[in-house]
Amino acid sequence: MQKYENIKIKEISEINIYTSFFHYTNELNIESIAKNGLLPKIGDNATGAELTEKVFFAIGAKGVFSIFDSWIRWLIGKRLTDLPGQKMDIPFYRFCTFVMRLPIIRHVIAIIVNFVVWIEFHIPFFKKKSFKIMKNILENSVFFILDLKEGEDFSYQDIDEVKSQKFHRKLLKQVYAKSRRIDSKKMDFWNMHTFTGKEIAPNKVTLLKVGDSYKALPIILYLIQHTNYDLKVLAPFFYDFLKYYHFV
């Protein structure tokens, strides 16, 4: 097992898996986080959707399962923006999100986009391709537990910037996790974030491990084994992913 210096590490059995604040990131970011903490940003996958820079996290195992369920839904629905090729992927995605918020025309665009996404959800090829991407993400990611205080680092009353914009609600229902409150602008427990621009100091982040592994996938399997959530109901797309690779 690789040893990391200058960062707190905790075995997953030592935390409360129902109430802890989970943040996942690529393992290549560990040394930087140990030195600088977590810096708010708008990642490539949130460009055109999020408005301000924040640090995202999920509450408990239920939040972890739900965020990955939403991730897989989004990966499937985003297949259309991959068509121009890798170099044009992000610019085309930004253009699409911009058009989808335009007055009047957005209603027409929404009908088309909703129909395309619905079709994508029913094509096995798109689903399997997204599963492959998700597997790669999990095999190269780690979890941090964040020591956050309400009122100082975040607020449970804060809004979800995506839900607060003029994206069509039917589309959000398709790409958001099943445990979502589309009619409320407030954050969901699986899609929490810090205050805009809020940095999380290194002493407030703890790298999580299970046994000899820091990898996200073994940690997720631990969470599944030590909770009683019905993933087929809570996170059906994530459950299909787990079944596809025989993880459950």
Side-chain angles (χ1 to χ4, degrees):
M1 180 176 66
Q2 182 175 354
K3 292 185 178 180
Y4 295 103
E5 298 180 356
N6 303 319
I7 193 166
K8 293 186 294 184
I9 299 174
K10 184 169 288 188
E11 171 65 39
I12 192 171
S13 60
E14 300 174 18
I15 71 167
N16 187 320
I17 60 176
Y18 293 96
T19 60
S20 293
F21 298 153
F22 289 80
H23 171 87
Y24 79 96
T25 186
N26 191 286
E27 60 185 345
L28 297 177
N29 297 327
I30 293 177
E31 299 295 343
S32 173
I33 292 173
K35 180 180 179 181
N36 304 309
L38 285 169
L39 305 179
K41 68 175 184 177
I42 298 178
D44 289 342
N45 295 312
T47 183
E50 293 293 334
L51 302 176
T52 61
E53 299 178 331
K54 302 174 288 290
V55 174
F56 282 83
F57 61 95
I59 302 177
K62 186 177 181 181
V64 171
F65 302 148
S66 295
I67 187 60
F68 287 116
D69 187 65
S70 181
W71 253 100
I72 292 175
R73 292 167 181 261
W74 180 85
L75 287 171
I76 296 172
K78 189 177 176 293
R79 292 303 95 209
L80 180 65
T81 65
D82 292 340
L83 295 180
Q86 188 172 359
K87 289 185 178 181
M88 287 299 297
D89 181 16
I90 294 177
F92 187 48
Y93 178 67
R94 288 175 179 166
F95 172 75
C96 290
T97 56
F98 170 74
V99 172
M100 289 169 62
R101 289 174 292 182
L102 291 176
I104 303 177
I105 192 176
R106 70 185 181 90
H107 297 291
V108 177
I109 297 297
I111 294 174
I112 299 173
V113 173
N114 290 339
F115 179 67
V116 170
V117 172
W118 183 86
I119 291 177
E120 289 174 332
F121 278 5
H122 291 80
I123 297 179
F125 171 77
F126 289 129
K127 207 171 194 180
K128 292 177 181 178
K129 185 174 181 180
S130 297
F131 286 172
K132 184 178 180 180
I133 296 173
M134 176 54 62
K135 185 172 183 286
N136 181 65
I137 290 174
L138 293 179
E139 288 178 341
N140 292 280
S141 294
V142 295
F143 278 106
F144 282 94
I145 296 300
L146 310 185
D147 178 17
L148 305 178
K149 293 183 179 180
E150 184 184 10
E152 179 180 321
D153 301 304
F154 75 100
S155 170
Y156 285 109
Q157 305 306 312
D158 211 340
I159 65 170
D160 179 325
E161 289 183 343
V162 176
K163 290 196 293 184
S164 69
Q165 297 179 68
K166 296 184 180 298
F167 290 110
H168 199 273
R169 287 304 183 257
K170 186 175 181 180
L171 176 62
L172 292 184
K173 286 181 179 180
Q174 291 193 87
V175 298
Y176 264 45
K178 196 170 183 181
S179 299
R180 81 281 194 194
R181 299 170 299 171
I182 295 299
D183 294 330
S184 171
K185 293 183 180 180
K186 292 182 181 179
M187 300 180 295
D188 294 293
F189 65 91
W190 53 269
N191 195 30
M192 300 288 292
H193 59 70
T194 60
F195 291 130
T196 294
K198 180 69 178 181
E199 298 181 6
I200 307 301
N203 66 334
K204 301 186 75 171
V205 300
T206 300
L207 181 61
L208 202 58
K209 72 183 186 75
V210 54
D212 292 332
S213 177
Y214 296 106
K215 301 287 187 177
L217 187 54
I219 289 174
I220 288 175
L221 296 181
Y222 176 95
L223 294 176
I224 293 173
Q225 294 168 3
H226 290 80
T227 56
N228 294 316
Y229 297 117
D230 186 347
L231 293 183
K232 287 181 287 187
V233 176
L234 174 66
F237 281 77
F238 189 50
Y239 176 78
D240 287 346
F241 160 79
L242 295 168
K243 287 286 289 184
Y244 181 76
Y245 285 109
H246 306 291
F247 292 136
V248 294

